[in-house]
Amino acid sequence: MHSLLANALPLNKNEQVNDEYVTVQQVVITGNNITKQRVILNELIFKQGDRLLVNRLGQVVKRCRHNLLNTSLFNFVSIHYTIQSDDTIVFHINVDERWYWWVFPIFEVADRNLSSFFNSGDWSRVNYGVYLKRDNFRGRNEKIIARIRLGFTTQILLGYLSPEYNKRGGWGAFFNFSMSDQLPYATLNNQPIFTGLETEMAQMAYHGSLYYSLRSGLYQRHKLDVAYHHYNVSDSVIDLNPNYLTTEANKLQFLELKYEYTYDKRDSKIYPLKGSRVKLEAVQSGFGLWQDELNNFKLAGSYDKHVRLHESWHWTSMAYGEYNTSNSLPYVLNAGSGYESFLNGYELYVIDGTRQFTMKNQLLFTLLHPRVKSLGFMPLTQFAKVNYAFYLKAFYDFGSVWQENPPITNTFVNDWQYGYGAGIDFVTFYDMVWSFNYSVNKHRQHGFFVHFNLAI
């Protein structure tokens, strides 16, 4: 039986099968002191007994290495092979495992991004607490999360994630409780307006979810998620915005059913330079079980493409679209642009709406190719080597968010917006990316913005 790669890369007319193939005899794995071998074998595009094209072995090695690094279990991966005289091949895989226990204090801003926090200068919007995470639990790529936050938002979060294997499912469960004495209750002049209550909590929220995921192919995943959401808010908040939840109600609870499909064949999930990803999502919120319950169906989809133009030049385009059947979502759920995602140049703003389309484009130049620095003074081997790279970029984003009968002061909604600029990205180990951008938006507002992404 031919390997997956051989089927995806057909022979030329002049190639002879018997002369051009080798058979996988063995896969030797080293360095996995914690990780089970099956977790590593699960990411390979071949298995023992498969026949691989000799002139495609370089591509096989590169793809397998990318797959293993994308698990976020290893800092470094090296793959070598030896071709035997009997036309068989032995692969040698060495992995450098990460640090999997994370127990550290939380000190973070509660704003949507760092730039929004710097602009407000409000140090009351700071969270502190403790964060516990165990990656690669039992060596099976399972994950356990516990988080306690205090400060601007009080939060208790517990979670467990079990990975998917080829043709086998995984599952996970989350519970999240949060309460706040300050919250954004409305949007005015394209910016969220906060309120703070001295004698009572502004909002308490409970969320619980259980999901099942299936990896139907090496790069394809399906996920089915059932969740329960419950919001309680102060009457003072409802007085300020009667549509904060459903009309003039101070409580909202609903069940949610979500299906998600992902096809992800990027070379890196943290900072991709080649490959593509498709993500589709269908969500039904509300099933008529409670009075004044939300009833909305959402369809969303995204596609991003990463192309190598030259050894040091890359192009990236990312498109996202979302459609909600409800024309008037509760304010607490009416998140358009500026929350989880944003247009460059609009970091200080939000654009609320039930339908949106955005597209982000950037041209990258590799200022410093990925390098590895050994830290001889570091006693922990998981931190003894640091990889890092720098990229210059120019970007142009555009999009629009639609909302029925928006407040007259929110002038960015129902209109096309765009932003452009340049910046530099610093990419280093443990999935850390620092971005320093200078952006200009459609309204000729400009500024320097800092973004930080830490996957842990």
Side-chain angles (χ1 to χ4, degrees), residues 3 24 27 41 44-48 50 52 60 64 91 93:
S3 71
V24 179
V27 179
L41 295 174
L44 305 182
I45 65 174
F46 61 83
K47 62 182 181 298
Q48 189 172 353
D50 279 351
L52 306 177
V60 172
C64 291
F91 284 93
I93 301 176

Side-chain angles (χ1 to χ4, degrees), residues 106-356:
I106 294 174
F107 186 81
E108 62 185 9
V109 299
D111 280 88
R112 305 179 315 280
N113 52 64
L114 286 175
S115 299
S116 177
F117 171 74
F118 293 148
N119 182 67
S120 70
D122 187 352
W123 283 92
S124 69
R125 300 182 193 176
V126 171
N127 290 325
Y128 54 90
V130 63
Y131 178 42
L132 166 67
K133 188 172 80 160
R134 176 61 160 99
D135 289 323
N136 205 13
F137 178 58
R138 300 190 297 177
R140 301 179 182 181
N141 199 15
E142 298 166 296
K143 185 180 298 184
I144 297 175
I145 300 173
R147 182 183 296 139
I148 299 176
R149 277 193 177 104
L150 301 172
F152 182 78
T153 300
T154 299
Q155 180 194 41
I156 298 174
L157 182 145
L158 301 172
Y160 168 80
L161 297 87
S162 175
E164 324 92 335
Y165 293 93
N166 282 334
K167 309 299 182 183
R168 292 180 54 190
W171 68 279
F174 284 90
F175 170 77
N176 185 21
F177 164 76
S178 63
M179 58 183 183
S180 306
D181 56 8
Q182 298 185 56
L183 53 76
Y185 68 89
T187 301
L188 182 67
N189 296 322
N190 309 299
Q191 292 185 314
I193 306 301
F194 285 79
T195 183
L197 305 180
E198 296 182 358
T199 60
E200 58 181 328
M201 280 293 159
Q203 176 176 281
M204 298 179 64
Y206 307 85
H207 307 279
S209 66
L210 179 67
Y211 76 82
Y212 175 81
S213 57
L214 177 66
R215 191 173 183 177
S216 59
L218 198 56
Y219 307 106
Q220 298 183 79
R221 286 176 168 85
H222 307 262
K223 182 178 178 182
L224 190 65
D225 191 312
V226 179
Y228 170 75
H229 303 275
H230 185 110
Y231 296 89
N232 266 331
V233 298
S234 166
D235 289 337
S236 301
V237 174
I238 302 304
D239 290 340
L240 293 169
N241 183 356
N243 295 316
Y244 183 81
L245 299 178
T246 51
T247 305
E248 297 186 358
N250 64 358
K251 183 173 74 172
L252 173 64
Q253 58 181 329
F254 60 93
L255 287 178
E256 188 172 82
L257 180 64
K258 177 169 68 174
Y259 167 75
E260 185 179 286
Y261 168 80
T262 305
Y263 175 85
D264 192 345
K265 201 175 180 182
R266 299 172 296 170
D267 60 348
S268 169
K269 294 181 180 179
I270 304 304
Y271 200 84
L273 297 175
K274 291 179 62 179
S276 60
R277 177 182 62 172
V278 175
K279 187 174 181 180
L280 303 173
E281 187 179 275
V283 186
Q284 174 60 44
S285 300
F287 290 87
L289 300 179
W290 293 283
Q291 186 179 5
D292 296 324
E293 185 182 1
L294 173 71
N295 182 16
N296 179 63
F297 180 71
K298 181 179 82 171
L299 281 175
S302 64
Y303 175 74
D304 52 283
K305 181 69 175 178
H306 311 269
V307 180
R308 181 188 181 192
L309 303 176
H310 186 264
E311 181 180 358
S312 298
W313 293 90
H314 295 83
W315 175 266
T316 292
S317 288
M318 295 175 284
Y320 175 79
E322 179 182 321
Y323 177 87
N324 290 274
T325 57
S326 175
N327 290 322
S328 56
L329 289 171
Y331 179 80
V332 70
L333 302 174
N334 195 25
S337 179
Y339 297 90
E340 292 185 3
S341 63
F342 61 90
L343 296 175
N344 278 296
Y346 292 82
E347 284 88 342
L348 306 181
Y349 302 102
V350 297
I351 311 176
D352 302 327
T354 59
R355 300 162 195 174
Q356 65 169 303

